[in-house]
Amino acid sequence: MIACVRLPHFAAALEAHDHPDLRDRAFVLVDGETTVSGVSAQAARAGVRTGMSTTQAHALCADLVVRPALHSRTQRAFGDLLDALTTFTTQVESETGLELRADGRQRRQTLFLHPDQFDDFPTATCYLDLGTLKPDEAPDLARQMLRFVKQQTHTPAKLGLSSGKFPARVAATSVNSGEFLVVPGGHEAHFLAGFTAGLLPVDGETLRQLDLLGWHTLGDVAAQPAAALRDRFGKQGHTMHRLANGRDTNPVGHYQPPVVARANRQLESPVADWPRLEVILNAMVADAVADALSLSLIHISEPT
């Protein structure tokens, strides 16, 4: 069974944890001084989205608080979570790719999403392969995982469990934070049928064609003959038919921790001037980079 863990507004949630005064307030995280890259739940409810300018965001929410985005902290926190989730299984991977650009609301109208667009609500998402579970084991494990993620990140997660990554992801998007949903084996297609076809990991032009054909939901796509979809959309049509029917056999990769290299230098006397400190720091950076390259080569050459 595959588990999908989603952490909505993850960067903003980390900021609110570090700064309690931001809790229950509408705020955004910005790159530079103008572009919104992170949104709190309160700001999102006011209509603020990533990619907006701070001027647009303030027009929607007058009492909006603006803070600088700290991407390195968000990446580090998510990496720590992935590492911690190996407690459950070594098959843990983060989500990347086109599937990030759709949401899980049930609706008839399909949004036409260009491949270069990003999710309006940035969500940290990962998958775990939990192996074979008995029906009565899944709910208990799901509750345990939700508690574990909350302890690790101080943020409530959404959790979906199903036979494949795609139905598990849709299950995770369809529940509220702190909740889980288990899709029993054999019921994947029935569960997916009412959700928008916009959840399929395809480009906007393909979604436009699906809409013109009147195939608005995953159930509409699943009901089409596989051969017809393949003839019209090629290999992508076969993938769409398979996913819409809840058959996602893409495996979850094994977790690979990032290569980390550190350098330290013991100084005989205090450093009193910046030029000398800069020389020392540059030498330490060079040592760390050399070690990182060495570790990467060793890692790549390891037998699998």
Side-chain angles (χ1 to χ4, degrees):
M1 180 165 280
I2 306 298
C4 176
V5 179
R6 285 175 62 82
L7 292 154
H9 310 291
F10 186 50
L14 294 175
E15 185 75 11
H17 177 262
D18 290 346
H19 302 280
D21 59 300
L22 290 176
R23 295 174 187 174
D24 302 321
R25 297 195 63 181
F27 70 93
V28 294
L29 306 175
V30 298
D31 291 329
E33 297 181 355
T34 59
T35 305
V36 174
S37 64
V39 181
S40 70
Q42 293 81 4
R45 284 196 288 269
V48 180
R49 299 291 185 268
T50 57
M52 286 183 173
S53 68
T54 51
T55 301
Q56 292 173 311
H58 275 296
L60 294 169
C61 186
D63 59 349
L64 190 71
V65 177
V66 177
R67 292 290 181 91
L70 300 174
H71 297 296
S72 59
R73 179 195 48 193
T74 304
Q75 293 169 357
R76 182 170 62 252
F78 189 48
D80 290 343
L81 174 61
L82 294 176
D83 187 65
L85 286 172
T86 58
T87 301
F88 296 91
T89 172
T90 59
Q91 288 180 261
V92 179
E93 71 175 13
S94 60
E95 177 181 81
T96 57
L98 193 61
E99 63 270 22
L100 291 171
R101 303 179 180 98
D103 65 51
R105 291 173 294 171
Q106 284 182 288
R107 61 186 186 276
R108 293 291 298 181
Q109 184 178 2
T110 299
L111 293 176
F112 297 144
L113 303 169
H114 189 276
D116 289 336
Q117 288 179 306
F118 292 99
D119 196 334
D120 277 356
F121 300 104
T123 301
T125 302
C126 63
Y127 299 94
L128 298 83
D129 188 337
L130 301 173
T132 303
L133 293 177
K134 296 178 181 178
D136 58 339
E137 293 176 335
D140 289 339
L141 183 56
R143 294 186 187 95
Q144 181 183 349
M145 290 181 64
L146 285 175
R147 289 194 299 268
F148 183 84
V149 173
K150 181 69 178 295
Q151 291 171 354
Q152 294 291 322
T153 64
H154 310 287
T155 303
K158 300 181 176 188
L159 181 63
L161 292 97
S162 187
S163 59
K165 293 164 74 173
F166 184 71
R169 186 186 195 278
V170 177
T173 60
S174 68
V175 297
N176 296 319
S177 293
E179 298 179 350
F180 71 89
L181 178 64
V182 180
V183 181
H187 295 266
E188 296 88 352
H190 177 73
F191 164 71
L192 293 171
F195 286 92
T196 172
L199 286 169
L200 291 168
V202 296
D203 58 67
E205 173 58 24
T206 299
L207 293 180
R208 188 186 71 82
Q209 292 185 41
L210 292 177
D211 187 68
L212 290 174
L213 291 166
W215 301 344
H216 302 294
T217 67
L218 292 173
D220 293 335
V221 177
Q224 307 308 313
L229 284 171
R230 188 167 54 250
D231 289 344
R232 177 177 287 271
F233 298 104
K235 184 179 179 181
Q236 186 173 237
H238 173 74
T239 300
M240 288 193 295
H241 187 267
R242 179 170 52 82
L243 295 181
N245 279 282
R247 298 192 300 271
D248 187 354
T249 58
N250 291 321
V252 176
H254 285 271
Y255 175 69
Q256 297 287 355
V259 175
V260 177
R262 295 180 175 86
N264 58 72
R265 188 72 57 87
Q266 185 69 38
L267 302 178
E268 296 180 358
S269 60
V271 178
D273 60 279
W274 172 251
R276 185 186 172 204
L277 178 60
E278 190 174 21
V279 170
I280 294 171
L281 291 176
N282 286 337
M284 292 175 66
V285 169
D287 290 344
V289 170
D291 287 346
L293 291 173
S294 175
L295 288 170
S296 297
L297 290 173
I298 292 172
H299 178 75
I300 292 171
S301 65
E302 286 178 348
T304 56

